[in-house]
Structures are given as structure tokens and as C-alpha cells.
Amino acid sequence: MNIALIGASGFVGQALLQELLARGHQVTALVSRPERMAAAANLTVKASNAYDADAIARDVAGHDVVISAFNPGWDKADIRSLFLQGHDAIVAGTKAAGVARFIEVGGAGSLYVAPGLQLIDTPHFPAEYKEGAEGARQALNQLQGESVLDWVFVSPPALLAPGERSGQYQLGANELLMDGDAPAGISVADLAVAIVDEAEQARHHRQRFTVAAAK
């Protein structure tokens, strides 16, 4: 497939890029600092502005799928508004380019831990992640009203960390996946496996799903 990957230099983006290239896909990596990207077969690197819908439209035109692993950076005080600005521009640019299939990597904060209660609204949700998680939750809310794109929103589990690629995972929908009494986790490599599987197999349409390590 011919896949545009936004945010290819980030934590999740790097794992996605490795997985996509390992499977033989043609990848256009859209990043703010292309000089930091190593050359690879089947890889085109472009300097792109995630906040510019016109630039996104030009850069993703002609691709089969757009995968967005965009994150403005957890160190940004205004991460919530920046996340939404980027989300809005990426969605608008993808639509303008006529690419129907759109996969966005969001956060775990909007997953439900009880009826009517999302993880972000629980007392122990880490304060340092709350603004970014709120941006991702609002992005999901906006996507749920999107009727042009064939979109998918991927929520990682509560625990996402570096680790080995097993190639195995479990799928969930809107509820936080658990490992016994504790929140479940996954390696970023296996999160990438699940997302690339979705790009290839298109099992979800206009819905959110989550993943965790296989039991």
C-alpha cells in the first residue's frame, strides 16, 4: 500500500514506520524535521506542517491511507489546543486530498472505566497528561460526527512502553482493557502491529478501538 504517515519521528510514529517498512509498504513520512530521518528503501521523507491543511492536502494526495501519529509534544503548555489545531488541519487536508481512509492515534484517557465514566475523569489520572488527553478526547468527539472520511481512532491502553515485538495483541472497543485488577499495557512495537493490521485489513469503520498485550 501507499501510506502517508504523519508524525513519523515520534514515539509511536517511529514504531509505525518500522512496521510499515518491514511489511513492504511505500511510506511517505511527514515530519517537521526531515533531516532527523534516516534513509530507507520504500521511504519518502517530506517536511510538512501538521497545522496547515493545504500542506497536508498536497502531501497526502494519492495515498491509500493516512495514518496520523501527530503529537505536538508533552512539554507544550498549550498541548490541548495544539493537538486540536493539528487534528483539525490533518482531517481537513485528508478530506481535501480525497483520501477516504484515515487512522488517528489518540490516547487512553477517553476509554471508559465504568458506565459514563472515562479514565481521564477519574481522581488518579496523572495531572501532567490531562491536557494532552483532553485534546485527544475532543478530537475523538469531533471524529464521531465525521461522515466523509472512513476514519478509525486508536486508543492505546493505559500503559504504553518500549518493548519487544510479539506480533500478538487483544482488541477492545471503548472500555479500558485490564490485566486482572490492574490496567493492561502493550509495547509500542505491538501497538504498531495492531495499527498496521488495521490499515491492511480495515476491520473498523468510523469507530474507535483499543488494544493491549495478548493474554
Side-chain angles (χ1 to χ4, degrees), residues 4 19 22 32 40 50 54 69 72 95 114 119 130 148 152 155 160 175 193:
E19 185 69 24
S32 59
D54 291 337
K95 289 166 68 172
L119 181 62
K130 193 150 192 176
V148 174
V152 177
S155 284
L160 177 64
E175 290 75 38
V193 171

Side-chain angles (χ1 to χ4, degrees), residues 9-138:
S9 62
F11 179 53
V12 175
Q14 290 180 60
L16 281 167
L17 180 60
Q18 182 175 343
E19 185 69 24
L20 287 164
L21 293 176
R23 298 198 198 186
H25 296 294
Q26 297 284 335
V27 181
T28 301
L30 307 182
V31 294
S32 59
R33 300 288 297 274
E35 67 275 9
R36 296 181 177 180
M37 301 290 293
N42 297 329
L43 174 64
T44 301
V45 179
K46 288 187 177 182
S48 188
N49 183 356
Y51 303 103
D52 184 337
D54 291 337
I56 293 295
R58 288 193 301 271
D59 292 337
V60 306
H63 291 79
D64 300 311
V65 182
V66 174
I67 302 176
S68 175
F70 165 77
N71 187 310
W74 289 103
D75 59 335
K76 301 291 177 60
D78 52 349
I79 184 173
R80 182 201 301 201
S81 63
L82 289 173
F83 192 101
L84 286 170
Q85 287 175 39
H87 164 83
D88 289 345
I90 291 165
V91 168
T94 300
K95 289 166 68 172
V99 181
R101 186 71 172 158
F102 175 67
I103 301 173
E104 180 170 17
V105 183
S110 59
L111 292 166
Y112 287 88
V113 297
L117 179 63
Q118 293 178 331
L119 181 62
I120 190 175
D121 297 320
T122 59
H124 301 297
F125 190 86
E128 63 268 28
Y129 296 124
K130 193 150 192 176
E131 282 297 295
E134 183 59 50
R137 173 163 68 175
Q138 291 180 24

